[in-house]
Amino acid sequence: MRAHLRKVTSSALLQPDGEVWLDAKTEQIALTGVPVSMQPTAFIANSWTGKKVGVVDSLRFSALHNGESLALRLEWADPSEDLDIDDNDHFPDGAAVLFPFAAGAPLITMGSADQPVNAWHWRADRPGEAHNNTARGIGTTRVTKGAEIQTSARYEDGHWKLVFLRALRRDGIDSTVQLTAGQTTQIAFAVWEGSNGERGGLKAFSPQWHELSID
Amino acid sequence: MAKSRTGRMIDGAVHRPRRQLAMVFDLNKCLGCHTCSIACKTQWTGDEGMENMWWTVVNSLPGKGTPKDWEQMGGGFDAEGNAKPSRLPSREEFGEAWKFNHEEVFAGGKGSSTHLKPNSNPRWGPNWDEDEGAGEYPNSYYFYLPRICNHCTHPACLEACPRDAILKREKDGVVLINEKNCKGYRFCMEACPYKRIYFNPLKDTSQKCIFCFPRTEKGVAPACARQCPGRMRFVGYLDDEQGPVHKLVHEYGVALPLHGEYGTDPNVFYVPPLSPPRLDEEGRIVEEEPRIPADYLRHLFGPRVDGVLAKLQEEIAKKQRGEGSELLDTLIVYSWPKDIFPDFAQDPAELPVHASGGQQR
Ligand code: SF4
Ligand code: SF4
């Protein structure tokens, strides 16, 4: 995927239904459920044996930037809008994009001790923001402040449309990836379907890194 | 990142803490007054997001308990040590924190035309089974069962967490949720076969009984134990051979875990309830048949319960004959607090108040 340059404001990029996205290139990203055998505890594996993990099987991805900020647009089909954690068995819909801090970080294990990864994580019960996570292996994600990732999401006709927007550079913040025009990096995706009880490693993900070039 | 070891099954053996704090609840002394619940609520669960939490709850038995029908939900481990699936209890099954029409009754001029009642129409609550019991008159029966987190030797909650957010302390075996690591996934809540974990939707974390560790670390007994008017909650280290907890569990062997078959090896033990004998159709006493059916107690406390009840009867008979009974003396607690939590007899009111070091409640 190439993130083309568009001379528009960042707030224009942040609109999932904004005009700027109409002619943006989109790529279909196939997702697959994290296998039960990879779930990090026996309780989770035993509880999900024979059940479908990761019910969302694909998403459409577009990317644009305006020289200052990068915008990533994700759209996927989801028959139920799950917005809250008001009851013990309510889990919200969610999505994340993942970047390696340096090329070659392992994706399947969410990074490793010396090859960390950076996840921008949106949840439907936390509108407007995404959590900036760093991870060094399964179960090690840590939320850190200062990355300032904005989000805007709309649920319509059985689809989520979501934009992540972040300044290319976040000088002085080393817990999030630094991006520059002209750079090619890698990106991966995850989607959580709340109504299926998906949280943590119970999710659909893109099993390979995809290339992302910033024009 | 290395995972914590204490409380985990590693290579077929559970890694035990250096010492284990435990409680014994003498069900023959429980009044069903809920003072423990209020003590805990006042101490720990008064914040927003915690309104419906009762880290200690008193259930009337027989009954469906808190959360409703928790014994049917699964979790824990099977005989081979495999984690068993379960499900998440809903807030309604625990019981919501009802709001009442205080305003209307006390200030709204309707004091004599309406009564104090919840504004909602609740269908379950923390002790919904109150006053029900079972059995036919004159053989009806009930008893109280206080429940807290069992600070299990092999905690299902800890094993279920993918983030290593639950730890069992090496120094005293207390099981704690590290809220900094918890992401509100609720696998622990699902896995705990006793359903003693609550979810705080405002903090997006799971929360539960902490065995009052900030108190025990200062030699003060847990709030629920210290406030208990029935003086039925014994507290101590399981390996302290002079302490009442060790004596009741290991020496006299009269305190049993609840549903030991759930496989988590609880560290809360119960002295099972004695009951008066049944009456037959003619109203004659049937000496050998207690009103609380033995089967029901076996279901709760396992096959050893018959022996325990027999032993308690024997000791009572001894005492009636004027012979001494160390076991009964231990249960009676002649001298409070030293006979009930000797290591935690410190009066909290007499502790120095710290200039710094956080809030004192
Ligand atoms: S009672 Fe439940 S919450 Fe407490 S330690 Fe045992 S498994 Fe964990
Ligand atoms: S030990 Fe403390 S935290 Fe646990 S139930 Fe008793 S009062 Fe509550």
Coordinates of all heavy atoms in Angstrom, one line a residue, chain B residues 43-122:
Chain B
Q43 N -14.4 -0.5 53.8 CA -12.9 -0.4 53.7 C -12.4 -0.2 52.3 O -11.5 0.5 52.0 CB -12.3 -1.6 54.3 CG -10.8 -1.6 54.3 CD -10.2 -1.1 55.6 OE1 -10.5 -1.6 56.7 NE2 -9.4 -0.1 55.6
W44 N -13.0 -1.1 51.4 CA -12.4 -1.2 50.1 C -13.2 -0.9 48.8 O -12.6 -0.6 47.8 CB -11.8 -2.7 49.9 CG -10.9 -3.1 50.9 CD1 -11.0 -4.1 51.8 CD2 -9.6 -2.5 51.2 NE1 -9.9 -4.2 52.6 CE2 -9.0 -3.3 52.3 CE3 -8.9 -1.4 50.7 CZ2 -7.8 -3.0 52.8 CZ3 -7.6 -1.1 51.2 CH2 -7.1 -1.9 52.3
T45 N -14.5 -1.0 48.9 CA -15.3 -1.0 47.6 C -16.3 0.1 47.6 O -17.4 0.0 47.1 CB -15.9 -2.3 47.3 OG1 -16.9 -2.6 48.3 CG2 -14.9 -3.5 47.2
G46 N -15.9 1.3 48.1 CA -16.7 2.4 48.2 C -16.7 3.3 46.9 O -17.5 4.2 46.7
D47 N -15.7 3.1 46.1 CA -15.5 4.0 44.9 C -16.5 3.7 43.8 O -17.1 2.7 43.7 CB -14.1 3.8 44.4 CG -13.0 4.4 45.3 OD1 -13.4 5.1 46.3 OD2 -11.8 4.2 45.0
E48 N -16.6 4.8 43.0 CA -17.4 4.6 41.8 C -16.9 3.4 41.0 O -15.7 3.3 40.8 CB -17.3 5.9 41.0 CG -18.6 6.7 40.8 CD -18.4 7.8 39.9 OE1 -17.7 8.8 40.2 OE2 -19.0 7.8 38.8
G49 N -17.8 2.7 40.4 CA -17.4 1.5 39.6 C -17.4 0.3 40.4 O -17.3 -0.8 39.9
M50 N -17.5 0.4 41.8 CA -17.4 -0.7 42.6 C -18.7 -1.0 43.4 O -18.8 -1.8 44.3 CB -16.3 -0.6 43.7 CG -14.9 -0.3 43.1 SD -13.7 0.1 44.3 CE -12.9 -1.5 44.5
E51 N -19.7 -0.2 43.0 CA -21.0 -0.2 43.8 C -21.5 -1.6 44.0 O -22.1 -1.9 45.0 CB -22.0 0.7 43.1 CG -21.7 2.2 43.0 CD -20.9 2.6 41.8 OE1 -20.3 1.6 41.1 OE2 -20.9 3.8 41.5
N52 N -21.5 -2.4 43.0 CA -22.1 -3.8 43.1 C -21.2 -4.8 43.7 O -21.5 -6.0 43.7 CB -22.6 -4.2 41.8 CG -21.5 -4.6 40.8 OD1 -20.4 -4.1 40.9 ND2 -21.8 -5.6 40.0
M53 N -20.0 -4.4 44.2 CA -19.0 -5.4 44.6 C -19.2 -5.8 46.1 O -19.3 -4.9 46.9 CB -17.6 -4.9 44.4 CG -17.2 -4.7 43.0 SD -15.4 -4.4 42.8 CE -15.4 -3.8 41.1
W54 N -19.2 -7.0 46.3 CA -19.2 -7.5 47.7 C -18.1 -8.6 47.8 O -18.3 -9.8 47.5 CB -20.6 -8.1 48.1 CG -21.7 -7.1 48.1 CD1 -22.5 -6.8 47.1 CD2 -21.9 -6.2 49.1 NE1 -23.3 -5.8 47.4 CE2 -23.0 -5.4 48.7 CE3 -21.4 -5.9 50.4 CZ2 -23.5 -4.3 49.5 CZ3 -22.0 -4.9 51.2 CH2 -23.0 -4.1 50.7
W55 N -16.9 -8.1 48.1 CA -15.8 -9.1 48.1 C -16.0 -10.2 49.1 O -15.5 -11.3 49.0 CB -14.4 -8.3 48.4 CG -14.0 -7.4 47.2 CD1 -14.6 -7.3 46.0 CD2 -12.9 -6.5 47.2 NE1 -14.0 -6.4 45.2 CE2 -12.9 -5.9 45.9 CE3 -12.0 -6.1 48.2 CZ2 -12.0 -4.9 45.6 CZ3 -11.0 -5.2 47.8 CH2 -11.0 -4.6 46.5
T56 N -16.7 -9.8 50.2 CA -17.2 -10.9 51.1 C -18.7 -10.8 51.0 O -19.3 -9.7 51.1 CB -16.6 -10.8 52.5 OG1 -17.2 -11.9 53.3 CG2 -17.0 -9.5 53.2
V57 N -19.3 -11.9 50.9 CA -20.8 -12.0 50.8 C -21.2 -13.1 51.6 O -20.5 -14.1 51.8 CB -21.2 -12.1 49.3 CG1 -20.8 -13.5 48.8 CG2 -22.6 -11.9 49.1
V58 N -22.4 -13.0 52.2 CA -22.9 -14.1 53.1 C -24.2 -14.6 52.3 O -25.1 -13.9 52.1 CB -23.3 -13.6 54.5 CG1 -23.8 -14.7 55.3 CG2 -22.1 -12.9 55.1
N59 N -24.1 -15.9 52.0 CA -25.2 -16.5 51.3 C -26.0 -17.4 52.3 O -25.4 -18.0 53.2 CB -24.7 -17.4 50.2 CG -24.2 -16.7 49.0 OD1 -23.4 -17.2 48.2 ND2 -24.5 -15.4 48.8
S60 N -27.3 -17.4 52.1 CA -28.2 -18.3 52.9 C -28.3 -19.6 52.1 O -28.6 -19.6 50.9 CB -29.6 -17.7 53.1 OG -29.5 -16.5 53.7
L61 N -28.0 -20.7 52.8 CA -28.1 -22.0 52.1 C -29.2 -22.8 52.7 O -29.5 -22.7 53.9 CB -26.8 -22.7 52.3 CG -25.5 -22.1 51.6 CD1 -24.4 -23.2 51.5 CD2 -25.8 -21.6 50.2
P62 N -29.8 -23.7 52.0 CA -29.6 -24.0 50.6 C -30.1 -22.8 49.7 O -31.0 -22.1 50.1 CB -30.4 -25.2 50.2 CG -30.7 -25.8 51.6 CD -30.7 -24.7 52.5
G63 N -29.4 -22.5 48.6 CA -29.8 -21.4 47.8 C -28.9 -21.4 46.6 O -27.9 -22.1 46.4
K64 N -29.2 -20.4 45.7 CA -28.4 -20.3 44.5 C -27.2 -19.4 44.6 O -26.3 -19.4 43.8 CB -29.3 -19.8 43.4 CG -30.4 -20.7 43.0 CD -31.3 -20.1 41.9 CE -32.2 -21.0 41.1 NZ -33.0 -22.0 41.9
G65 N -27.1 -18.6 45.7 CA -25.9 -17.9 46.0 C -25.6 -16.7 45.2 O -26.4 -16.2 44.4
T66 N -24.4 -16.2 45.3 CA -23.9 -15.0 44.6 C -22.6 -15.3 43.8 O -21.6 -15.7 44.5 CB -23.6 -13.9 45.6 OG1 -24.6 -13.8 46.6 CG2 -23.3 -12.6 45.0
P67 N -22.6 -15.2 42.5 CA -23.7 -14.9 41.7 C -24.7 -16.1 41.6 O -24.2 -17.2 41.9 CB -23.0 -14.6 40.3 CG -21.8 -15.4 40.3 CD -21.3 -15.3 41.8
K68 N -25.8 -15.8 41.1 CA -26.9 -16.8 41.0 C -26.4 -18.1 40.3 O -26.0 -18.0 39.2 CB -28.1 -16.2 40.3 CG -29.3 -17.1 40.2 CD -30.4 -16.4 39.4 CE -31.7 -17.2 39.4 NZ -32.7 -16.5 38.7
D69 N -26.6 -19.2 41.0 CA -26.2 -20.5 40.4 C -24.7 -20.6 40.1 O -24.3 -21.3 39.1 CB -27.0 -20.8 39.2 CG -28.4 -21.4 39.5 OD1 -28.4 -22.1 40.5 OD2 -29.3 -21.1 38.8
W70 N -23.9 -20.0 40.9 CA -22.4 -20.0 40.6 C -21.9 -21.4 40.6 O -20.9 -21.7 39.8 CB -21.6 -19.1 41.6 CG -21.7 -19.6 43.0 CD1 -22.7 -19.3 43.9 CD2 -20.8 -20.4 43.7 NE1 -22.5 -19.9 45.1 CE2 -21.3 -20.6 45.0 CE3 -19.6 -21.1 43.3 CZ2 -20.7 -21.4 45.9 CZ3 -19.0 -21.9 44.2 CH2 -19.5 -22.0 45.5
E71 N -22.5 -22.3 41.4 CA -21.9 -23.7 41.4 C -22.2 -24.4 40.1 O -21.6 -25.5 39.9 CB -22.6 -24.5 42.5 CG -22.2 -24.0 43.9 CD -23.2 -24.5 45.0 OE1 -24.3 -24.0 45.0 OE2 -22.8 -25.3 45.8
Q72 N -23.0 -23.9 39.2 CA -23.3 -24.6 38.0 C -22.4 -24.0 36.8 O -22.6 -24.4 35.7 CB -24.8 -24.5 37.5 CG -25.8 -24.6 38.6 CD -25.7 -25.9 39.4 OE1 -25.4 -26.9 38.8 NE2 -26.0 -25.8 40.7
M73 N -21.6 -23.1 37.1 CA -20.9 -22.4 36.0 C -19.6 -23.0 35.5 O -19.1 -22.6 34.5 CB -20.7 -20.9 36.5 CG -21.9 -20.1 36.5 SD -21.6 -18.4 37.0 CE -23.3 -17.8 37.3
G74 N -19.0 -23.9 36.3 CA -17.8 -24.5 35.8 C -16.6 -23.7 36.2 O -16.6 -22.9 37.2
G75 N -15.5 -23.9 35.5 CA -14.2 -23.3 35.9 C -13.4 -24.2 36.8 O -13.8 -25.4 37.1
G76 N -12.3 -23.7 37.3 CA -11.4 -24.6 38.1 C -10.7 -25.6 37.3 O -10.5 -25.4 36.1
F77 N -10.3 -26.7 37.9 CA -9.6 -27.8 37.2 C -10.2 -29.1 37.4 O -10.9 -29.4 38.4 CB -8.2 -27.9 37.8 CG -7.4 -26.6 37.7 CD1 -7.3 -25.8 38.9 CD2 -6.8 -26.1 36.6 CE1 -6.7 -24.5 38.8 CE2 -6.1 -24.9 36.5 CZ -6.1 -24.1 37.7
D78 N -10.1 -30.0 36.4 CA -10.6 -31.4 36.5 C -9.5 -32.2 37.3 O -8.5 -31.7 37.7 CB -10.9 -32.0 35.1 CG -9.7 -32.2 34.2 OD1 -8.6 -32.2 34.7 OD2 -9.9 -32.4 33.0
A79 N -9.8 -33.5 37.4 CA -9.0 -34.3 38.3 C -7.6 -34.4 37.7 O -6.6 -34.6 38.5 CB -9.6 -35.7 38.4
E80 N -7.4 -34.2 36.4 CA -6.1 -34.3 35.8 C -5.4 -32.9 35.8 O -4.3 -32.8 35.3 CB -6.1 -34.7 34.4 CG -6.3 -36.3 34.2 CD -7.7 -36.7 34.5 OE1 -8.7 -36.1 34.0 OE2 -7.8 -37.6 35.4
G81 N -6.1 -31.9 36.4 CA -5.4 -30.6 36.4 C -5.7 -29.7 35.2 O -5.0 -28.7 35.0
N82 N -6.6 -30.2 34.3 CA -6.9 -29.3 33.1 C -7.9 -28.3 33.5 O -8.9 -28.5 34.1 CB -7.5 -30.2 32.0 CG -6.5 -31.3 31.6 OD1 -5.4 -31.1 31.3 ND2 -7.0 -32.6 31.7
A83 N -7.6 -27.0 33.0 CA -8.5 -25.9 33.2 C -9.8 -26.2 32.6 O -9.9 -26.6 31.4 CB -7.9 -24.6 32.7
K84 N -10.9 -26.0 33.3 CA -12.3 -26.3 32.8 C -12.9 -25.0 32.4 O -12.9 -24.0 33.1 CB -13.1 -26.9 33.9 CG -12.7 -28.4 34.2 CD -13.3 -28.9 35.4 CE -14.8 -29.1 35.4 NZ -15.3 -29.7 36.6
P85 N -13.6 -25.0 31.2 CA -14.3 -23.9 30.7 C -15.4 -23.4 31.7 O -15.9 -24.3 32.5 CB -14.9 -24.3 29.4 CG -14.1 -25.5 29.0 CD -13.7 -26.1 30.3
S86 N -15.9 -22.2 31.6 CA -16.9 -21.7 32.4 C -17.7 -20.6 31.6 O -17.6 -20.6 30.4 CB -16.3 -21.1 33.7 OG -17.3 -20.6 34.5
R87 N -18.3 -19.7 32.3 CA -18.9 -18.6 31.6 C -18.9 -17.4 32.5 O -18.6 -17.5 33.7 CB -20.3 -18.9 31.2 CG -21.3 -18.9 32.4 CD -22.7 -19.1 31.8 NE -23.7 -19.2 32.9 CZ -24.3 -18.2 33.5 NH1 -24.0 -16.9 33.2 NH2 -25.2 -18.4 34.4
L88 N -19.1 -16.2 32.0 CA -19.0 -15.0 32.8 C -20.4 -14.7 33.4 O -21.4 -14.6 32.7 CB -18.6 -13.8 31.9 CG -17.2 -13.7 31.5 CD1 -17.0 -12.8 30.3 CD2 -16.3 -13.3 32.7
P89 N -20.5 -14.6 34.7 CA -21.7 -14.2 35.3 C -22.0 -12.7 35.0 O -21.1 -11.9 35.0 CB -21.4 -14.4 36.8 CG -20.0 -14.4 37.0 CD -19.3 -14.7 35.6
S90 N -23.3 -12.5 34.8 CA -23.7 -11.1 34.5 C -23.8 -10.3 35.8 O -23.9 -10.8 36.9 CB -25.1 -11.1 33.8 OG -26.1 -11.5 34.7
R91 N -23.9 -9.0 35.6 CA -24.1 -8.1 36.8 C -25.4 -8.4 37.5 O -25.5 -8.4 38.7 CB -24.1 -6.6 36.3 CG -22.7 -6.1 36.0 CD -22.7 -4.7 35.5 NE -23.1 -3.8 36.6 CZ -22.2 -3.1 37.3 NH1 -20.9 -3.2 37.1 NH2 -22.6 -2.3 38.3
E92 N -26.4 -8.8 36.7 CA -27.7 -9.1 37.3 C -27.6 -10.3 38.2 O -28.2 -10.5 39.2 CB -28.8 -9.2 36.3 CG -30.2 -9.3 36.9 CD -31.3 -9.4 35.9 OE1 -31.2 -10.2 35.0 OE2 -32.3 -8.7 36.1
E93 N -26.8 -11.3 37.7 CA -26.6 -12.5 38.5 C -25.9 -12.3 39.8 O -26.2 -12.9 40.8 CB -25.9 -13.6 37.6 CG -26.8 -14.2 36.6 CD -26.1 -15.0 35.6 OE1 -25.0 -14.7 35.1 OE2 -26.6 -16.1 35.2
F94 N -25.0 -11.3 39.8 CA -24.4 -10.9 41.1 C -25.4 -10.1 41.9 O -25.4 -10.2 43.1 CB -23.2 -10.0 40.8 CG -21.9 -10.8 40.6 CD1 -21.4 -10.9 39.3 CD2 -21.2 -11.3 41.6 CE1 -20.2 -11.6 39.0 CE2 -20.0 -12.0 41.4 CZ -19.5 -12.2 40.1
G95 N -26.2 -9.3 41.2 CA -27.0 -8.3 41.9 C -26.5 -6.9 41.7 O -25.3 -6.7 42.0
E96 N -27.3 -6.0 41.2 CA -26.8 -4.7 41.0 C -26.9 -3.9 42.3 O -27.5 -4.4 43.3 CB -27.8 -3.9 40.0 CG -27.5 -4.3 38.6 CD -26.2 -3.6 38.1 OE1 -25.5 -3.0 38.9 OE2 -25.9 -3.8 36.9
A97 N -26.2 -2.8 42.4 CA -26.3 -1.9 43.5 C -27.6 -1.1 43.3 O -27.6 -0.1 42.5 CB -25.1 -1.0 43.6
W98 N -28.6 -1.5 43.9 CA -29.9 -0.8 43.7 C -29.9 0.6 44.3 O -29.3 0.8 45.3 CB -31.1 -1.6 44.4 CG -31.0 -3.1 44.1 CD1 -30.7 -3.6 42.9 CD2 -31.2 -4.1 45.0 NE1 -30.7 -5.0 43.0 CE2 -31.0 -5.3 44.3 CE3 -31.6 -4.2 46.3 CZ2 -31.2 -6.6 44.8 CZ3 -31.8 -5.4 46.9 CH2 -31.6 -6.6 46.2
K99 N -30.6 1.5 43.6 CA -30.9 2.8 44.1 C -32.2 2.8 44.7 O -33.2 2.2 44.2 CB -30.8 3.8 43.0 CG -29.4 3.9 42.3 CD -28.9 5.3 42.3 CE -27.5 5.4 41.7 NZ -26.8 4.2 41.2
F100 N -32.4 3.5 45.9 CA -33.6 3.5 46.6 C -34.3 4.8 46.5 O -33.7 5.8 46.3 CB -33.4 3.0 48.1 CG -33.0 1.6 48.2 CD1 -31.8 1.2 48.0 CD2 -34.0 0.7 48.6 CE1 -31.4 -0.2 48.1 CE2 -33.7 -0.7 48.8 CZ -32.4 -1.1 48.5
N101 N -35.6 4.8 46.9 CA -36.4 6.0 46.8 C -36.3 6.8 48.1 O -37.3 7.3 48.7 CB -37.9 5.7 46.5 CG -38.5 4.7 47.6 OD1 -37.7 4.0 48.2 ND2 -39.8 4.7 47.7
H102 N -35.1 7.0 48.6 CA -34.9 7.7 49.9 C -35.5 9.1 49.9 O -36.2 9.5 50.8 CB -33.3 7.9 50.1 CG -32.6 6.6 50.5 ND1 -31.7 6.0 49.7 CD2 -32.8 5.8 51.6 CE1 -31.3 4.9 50.3 NE2 -31.9 4.7 51.4
E103 N -35.3 9.8 48.8 CA -35.8 11.2 48.7 C -37.3 11.2 48.9 O -37.8 12.0 49.7 CB -35.4 11.7 47.3 CG -35.6 13.1 47.0 CD -34.9 14.0 48.0 OE1 -33.8 13.6 48.6 OE2 -35.4 15.1 48.3
E104 N -38.0 10.3 48.2 CA -39.5 10.3 48.2 C -39.9 10.0 49.6 O -40.9 10.6 50.1 CB -39.9 9.2 47.3 CG -41.4 9.1 47.1 CD -41.8 7.9 46.1 OE1 -41.1 6.9 46.1 OE2 -42.8 8.1 45.4
V105 N -39.3 9.0 50.3 CA -39.8 8.6 51.6 C -39.4 9.6 52.7 O -40.3 9.9 53.5 CB -39.3 7.2 51.9 CG1 -39.6 6.8 53.4 CG2 -39.8 6.2 51.0
F106 N -38.2 10.1 52.6 CA -37.7 10.9 53.8 C -37.9 12.4 53.6 O -38.1 13.1 54.6 CB -36.2 10.6 54.0 CG -35.9 9.2 54.5 CD1 -35.0 8.4 53.8 CD2 -36.6 8.6 55.5 CE1 -34.7 7.1 54.2 CE2 -36.4 7.3 55.9 CZ -35.4 6.6 55.3
A107 N -38.0 12.8 52.4 CA -38.1 14.3 52.2 C -39.2 14.6 51.3 O -39.6 15.8 51.2 CB -36.8 14.8 51.6
G108 N -39.8 13.7 50.6 CA -40.8 14.0 49.6 C -42.2 14.0 50.1 O -43.2 14.0 49.3
G109 N -42.4 13.9 51.4 CA -43.7 14.0 52.0 C -44.6 12.7 51.8 O -45.8 12.7 52.0
K110 N -43.9 11.6 51.4 CA -44.7 10.4 51.2 C -44.3 9.3 52.2 O -44.5 8.1 52.0 CB -44.3 9.8 49.8 CG -44.8 10.7 48.7 CD -45.4 9.9 47.5 CE -45.7 10.7 46.3 NZ -45.3 10.0 45.1
G111 N -43.8 9.8 53.4 CA -43.3 8.9 54.4 C -44.4 7.9 54.9 O -44.0 6.8 55.3
S112 N -45.7 8.2 54.8 CA -46.7 7.3 55.3 C -47.5 6.6 54.1 O -48.3 5.8 54.4 CB -47.6 7.9 56.3 OG -48.0 9.2 55.8
S113 N -47.2 7.0 52.9 CA -48.0 6.5 51.8 C -47.2 5.5 50.9 O -47.7 4.8 50.1 CB -48.6 7.6 50.9 OG -47.5 8.4 50.4
T114 N -45.8 5.5 51.1 CA -45.1 4.5 50.4 C -44.0 4.0 51.3 O -43.9 4.4 52.4 CB -44.4 5.1 49.1 OG1 -43.8 4.1 48.3 CG2 -43.4 6.2 49.4
H115 N -43.3 3.0 50.8 CA -42.2 2.4 51.7 C -40.9 2.5 50.9 O -40.9 2.7 49.7 CB -42.5 1.0 52.1 CG -42.6 0.1 50.9 ND1 -43.8 0.0 50.1 CD2 -41.7 -0.8 50.3 CE1 -43.6 -0.9 49.1 NE2 -42.4 -1.4 49.3
L116 N -39.8 2.3 51.7 CA -38.5 2.3 51.1 C -38.3 1.1 50.2 O -38.5 0.0 50.6 CB -37.5 2.3 52.2 CG -36.1 2.8 51.8 CD1 -36.1 4.3 51.4 CD2 -35.1 2.6 53.0
K117 N -38.0 1.4 48.9 CA -37.9 0.3 48.0 C -36.9 0.7 46.8 O -36.7 1.8 46.6 CB -39.2 -0.1 47.4 CG -39.9 1.0 46.7 CD -41.3 0.7 46.2 CE -41.9 1.9 45.5 NZ -43.3 2.0 45.6
P118 N -36.3 -0.3 46.2 CA -35.5 0.0 45.0 C -36.2 0.7 43.9 O -37.4 0.4 43.7 CB -34.9 -1.3 44.6 CG -35.3 -2.3 45.6 CD -36.5 -1.8 46.4
N119 N -35.6 1.6 43.2 CA -36.2 2.3 42.1 C -36.4 1.4 40.9 O -37.3 1.6 40.1 CB -35.4 3.5 41.7 CG -35.4 4.6 42.7 OD1 -36.4 4.7 43.6 ND2 -34.4 5.4 42.8
S120 N -35.6 0.4 40.8 CA -35.7 -0.6 39.8 C -36.5 -1.8 40.2 O -37.0 -1.8 41.3 CB -34.2 -1.1 39.4 OG -33.6 -1.6 40.5
N121 N -36.5 -2.8 39.4 CA -37.3 -4.0 39.8 C -36.4 -5.2 39.8 O -36.4 -6.0 38.9 CB -38.5 -4.2 38.8 CG -39.4 -5.3 39.2 OD1 -39.4 -5.7 40.4 ND2 -40.2 -5.8 38.3
P122 N -35.6 -5.3 40.9 CA -34.5 -6.3 40.9 C -35.1 -7.7 40.9 O -36.1 -8.0 41.5 CB -33.7 -6.0 42.1 CG -34.6 -5.2 43.0 CD -35.5 -4.5 42.1

